[in-house]
Amino acid sequence: MSPPTVPHRVEFLRHPHPGYPHLTAWGIRIDGTDLRFLVAEATRALWSRELDEDDDTPQEREQFLLRQHAPLHLDAGGAGDAGDADGTRARAHFLGHASRDLSDRDTGAVYLLGCSCGIDACWPLLAQVRATATEVTWSGFSQPHRPEWGELPLGPYVFPRPAYDEALATPVRLTQDPLAPLLGEE
């Protein structure tokens, strides 16, 4: 018998998109930690196999790990979309009903983070998002451009559905990306 799953806490953040301050981004914290920190830790050993330690200082490598992803810009969809002022698109997205351009066509996995270049599909963080009446689960985290990495050592995260819905309905509004000071973007 497996141990009971400990529920996690999610916070959705709304702040200027890093590198594109005219856009608003949807950031994520899990149990008080920015998802980009969790991904940096989960991919540190994987990147160490690919990167030459002599090329960068420890601070530059740390910034690289934190900059590999950016929060998603979900306020406007495709051509002709007037936007998402009420958060409907974001709510559907984070409940596992992502648009085709923000999900994997084969697996249905959803982008939780995009690329820091501004093109989400360039370097997305994918996860399976399963919602029931009582909980929302994020699992099977992966990087589609590094299939040899397999499933990342991240999660699964199980969130109580009422708290998850409340977090989506009332995102924390910030005046800047919370990682801006660490990335020298103040």
Side-chain angles (χ1 to χ4, degrees):
M1 184 171 163
S2 61
T5 305
V6 176
H8 294 274
R9 183 175 50 88
V10 68
E11 291 174 279
F12 292 96
L13 314 173
R14 301 285 284 139
H15 56 77
H17 194 285
Y20 301 90
H22 63 287
L23 299 176
T24 302
W26 283 84
I28 301 166
R29 286 185 189 138
I30 298 174
D31 299 328
T33 301
D34 193 292
L35 181 56
R36 291 170 289 174
F37 273 115
L38 299 171
V39 174
E41 192 57 38
T43 60
R44 184 178 314 281
L46 298 165
W47 277 117
S48 71
R49 296 182 213 152
E50 295 185 37
L51 302 176
D52 185 349
E53 286 190 28
D54 295 333
D55 288 345
D56 300 306
T57 67
Q59 181 181 358
E60 288 169 331
R61 280 193 301 279
E62 207 51 40
Q63 285 186 347
F64 170 81
L65 289 170
L66 291 175
R67 286 179 198 244
Q68 68 182 304
H69 292 293
L72 296 174
H73 171 68
L74 297 171
D75 289 344
D81 188 344
D84 187 30
D86 67 354
T88 302
R89 182 174 189 226
R91 277 194 294 281
H93 180 88
F94 289 115
L95 286 170
H97 306 290
S99 60
R100 291 179 356 140
D101 62 322
L102 294 174
S103 63
D104 183 274
R105 290 185 184 112
D106 296 329
T107 66
V110 171
Y111 291 20
L112 292 181
L113 294 171
C115 185
S116 59
C117 78
I119 301 170
D120 292 323
C122 179
W123 191 259
L125 173 69
L126 295 174
Q128 295 294 326
V129 176
R130 302 284 182 245
T132 69
T134 58
E135 64 187 25
V136 178
T137 303
W138 294 357
S139 63
F141 290 83
S142 65
Q143 171 39 255
H145 302 303
R146 290 293 192 282
E148 65 276 12
W149 285 3
E151 187 174 324
L152 298 176
L154 198 58
Y157 299 107
V158 179
F159 310 104
R161 180 66 186 262
Y164 191 94
D165 289 340
E166 177 66 21
L168 267 174
T170 58
V172 176
R173 298 197 179 269
L174 303 171
T175 58
Q176 73 173 8
D177 178 352
L179 296 191
L182 294 172
L183 301 174
E185 298 173 357
E186 289 187 286

